[in-house]
């Protein structure tokens, strides 16, 4: 059973996220449908294992998944086959043959997410599914001062949504960047780390916006690390501004 | 009854075009719903008159419409009211008070349309609703040579879809431009004229692509003007790449 690694882009707008759920349209379900068709409906259902979940409406430009096929075909033929059969809101950027012990979730050691915020008075109709939206007073300099506090190994208990299942909430953020784009009235964020908890990035963005708005002091991120209290950062930036960009192995 | 002129953007993806149709979601219907609400449900239904129709899935960044309100409120208050009440896929860019004899359709004397084509092997999931898609062989130089033939006063009978209702098919195109964008694998077109027939722009783009592909000779536009035959240009570029950009009065 040769194993394949696929790099996948998807517009999350019309999906209930990555993971298979009963009676919901999900990216994993669409991928599994097509992979099993390509395998000529094998006796045992072939699973498509992603690097991790993404929520409903969250986008991906570099999600990674692996799956096994019952016969050996060239990686590029798999890419073309998937691309032809998948719906238009899923795109296959690359397919590679990998060794049997490659695992898209367990071997991932670095993930990069991107977040786009629009700051126009009313939301641009062409951005409504592709950016968060925030039209309150915002001082980007305060956010620039604060964002570096995210970098490093921290206990992210204050930055996780209820419902998380991991044993530990300690994770390392390698980089945290921000760009102000006045010409298109947007603010961009990019975060890389060894793993992120449920809703962590969206809460991190929410805290930064509240710092920019003056609701929180500029050094509040440090305080949130110390208090370890899931109730103190409630504002979760909307899903449609979030993009899974890259997974490293 | 003060008259207002609104400049409107919309993402056409989830609309059956501009014009009111029974049991269909259209931009005009959404606009009329909100304008009549703003007018406190007047005895007589207020019409919102657009500069012209756009088809299902066609976008606008500068559609213009006029309507009358039963009371006099500042133009900017109308803009804010509409923006707050309309769904997110319609945006109000500007509202101005105009004289009673302003008519969004009859006074329009110059319209500009934009068309985006993606040339990637498989369609980018983030472009599927916002560009046409063409992955065949394409020689942009041939298209650049041909596009100038569109400029001027011509009988566009070869470039109109069946079902057109106008008395004359003579129209003037003021400018026809094309940009090749290799860095994003797109080709862009822009056409301005004193009016366009049903599907005219999408057929003009289709003919250019067929010239670029070598299916038609580079001077075929001149021949199409001469033959005046609606059957000879069948390929209509897809609706989702077309944008109504500007209407001049």
């Amino acid at each position: 059973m040769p194993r394949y690694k696929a790099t996948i882009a998807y517009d999350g707008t019309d999906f209930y996220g990555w993971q298979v759920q009963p009676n919901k349209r999900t990216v994993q379900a669409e991928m599994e449908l097509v992979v099993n068709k390509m395998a000529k409906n094998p006796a045992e259902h072939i699973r498509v294992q992603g690097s991790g979940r993404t929520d409903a409406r969250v986008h991906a430009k570099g999600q990674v998944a692996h799956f096994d096929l019952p016969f050996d075909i060239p990686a590029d033929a798999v890419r073309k086959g998937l691309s032809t059969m998948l719906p238009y809101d899923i795109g296959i950027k690359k397919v590679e043959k990998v060794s049997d012990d490659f695992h898209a979730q367990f071997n991932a050691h670095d993930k990069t997410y991107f977040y786009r915020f629009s700051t126009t008075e009313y939301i641009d109709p062409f951005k409504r599914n592709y950016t968060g939206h925030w039209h309150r007073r915002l001082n980007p300099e305060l956010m620039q001062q604060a964002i570096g506090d995210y970098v490093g190994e921290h206990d992210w208990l204050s930055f996780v949504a209820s419902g998380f299942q991991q044993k530990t909430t300690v994770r390392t953020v390698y980089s945290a960047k921000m760009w102000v784009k006045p010409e298109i009235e947007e603010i961009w964020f990019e975060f890389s780390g060894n793993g992120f908890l449920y809703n962590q990035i969206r809460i991190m963005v929410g805290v930064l916006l509240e710092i920019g708005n003056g609701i929180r002091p500029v050094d509040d991120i440090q305080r949130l690390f110390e208090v370890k209290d899931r109730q103190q950062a409630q504002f979760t930036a909307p899903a449609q501004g979030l993009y899974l960009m890259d997974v490293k192995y």
Side-chain angles (χ1 to χ4, degrees), chain A:
Chain A
M1 300 274 280
R3 180 159 290 188
Y4 296 88
K5 172 191 174 194
T7 307
I8 307 159
Y10 45 87
D11 178 337
T13 306
D14 296 331
F15 290 108
Y16 283 85
W18 168 264
Q19 180 157 301
V20 167
Q21 291 177 62
N23 306 315
K24 304 275 190 200
R25 184 171 186 259
T26 70
V27 183
Q28 190 184 27
E30 295 284 349
M31 288 288 299
E32 291 190 354
L33 192 71
V34 165
V35 165
N36 282 276
K37 244 185 224 168
M38 189 179 261
K40 315 283 178 204
N41 301 306
E44 200 175 336
H45 180 78
I46 300 171
R47 302 310 308 251
V48 174
Q49 171 67 52
S51 74
R53 305 178 190 186
T54 54
D55 280 347
R57 300 179 70 79
V58 171
H59 310 291
K61 298 204 170 186
Q63 171 67 291
V64 173
H66 80 258
F67 53 86
D68 298 329
L69 287 179
F71 35 73
D72 199 325
I73 41 178
D76 205 54
V78 175
R79 180 184 68 86
K80 288 186 179 176
L82 295 177
S83 299
T84 305
M85 292 192 284
L86 282 166
Y88 288 138
D89 45 1
I90 304 179
I92 302 295
K93 300 179 86 168
K94 201 161 61 172
V95 174
E96 300 154 272
K97 214 177 271 189
V98 287
S99 67
D100 283 2
D101 59 354
F102 174 85
H103 194 285
Q105 186 183 358
F106 301 144
N107 297 160
H109 64 73
D110 186 351
K111 280 189 183 178
T112 301
Y113 283 92
F114 180 74
Y115 197 99
R116 274 177 75 183
F117 242 98
S118 164
T119 58
T120 49
E121 182 182 0
Y122 296 101
I123 196 152
D124 179 333
F126 294 96
K127 293 183 180 179
R128 75 193 191 289
N129 294 324
Y130 305 104
T131 66
H133 185 247
W134 176 275
H135 183 56
R136 301 191 217 168
R137 184 169 58 97
L138 211 53
N139 183 341
E141 274 179 43
L142 294 175
M143 298 158 75
Q144 288 281 18
Q145 276 178 53
I147 195 172
D149 290 347
Y150 280 141
V151 178
E153 188 185 78
H154 301 288
D155 185 337
W156 296 86
L157 192 54
S158 294
F159 293 87
V160 62
S162 55
F164 77 100
Q165 296 164 336
Q166 288 86 354
K167 284 177 206 140
T168 166
T169 47
V170 174
R171 295 287 186 283
T172 300
V173 166
Y174 302 129
S175 75
K177 295 178 201 160
M178 176 183 147
W179 297 264
V180 182
K181 296 277 176 184
E183 70 283 9
I184 53 170
E185 298 184 74
E186 291 188 18
I187 296 181
W188 294 355
F189 303 95
E190 190 196 80
F191 301 100
S192 293
N194 65 354
F196 293 93
L197 303 166
Y198 186 49
N199 277 358
Q200 180 181 336
I201 303 266
R202 291 165 57 190
I203 296 170
M204 289 166 72
V205 170
V207 164
L208 281 172
L209 290 169
E210 290 178 335
I211 288 171
N213 189 239
I215 299 172
R216 293 178 186 274
V218 70
D219 57 359
D220 210 46
I221 292 169
Q222 297 164 34
R223 190 187 64 81
L224 288 166
F225 285 139
E226 283 159 24
V227 295
K228 297 182 177 52
D229 178 358
R230 285 194 285 121
Q231 305 305 315
Q232 297 210 18
Q234 300 274 3
F235 171 43
T236 303
Q240 64 267 27
L242 185 60
Y243 297 73
L244 171 56
M245 298 302 283
D246 191 35
V247 186
K248 282 205 169 33
Y249 292 91

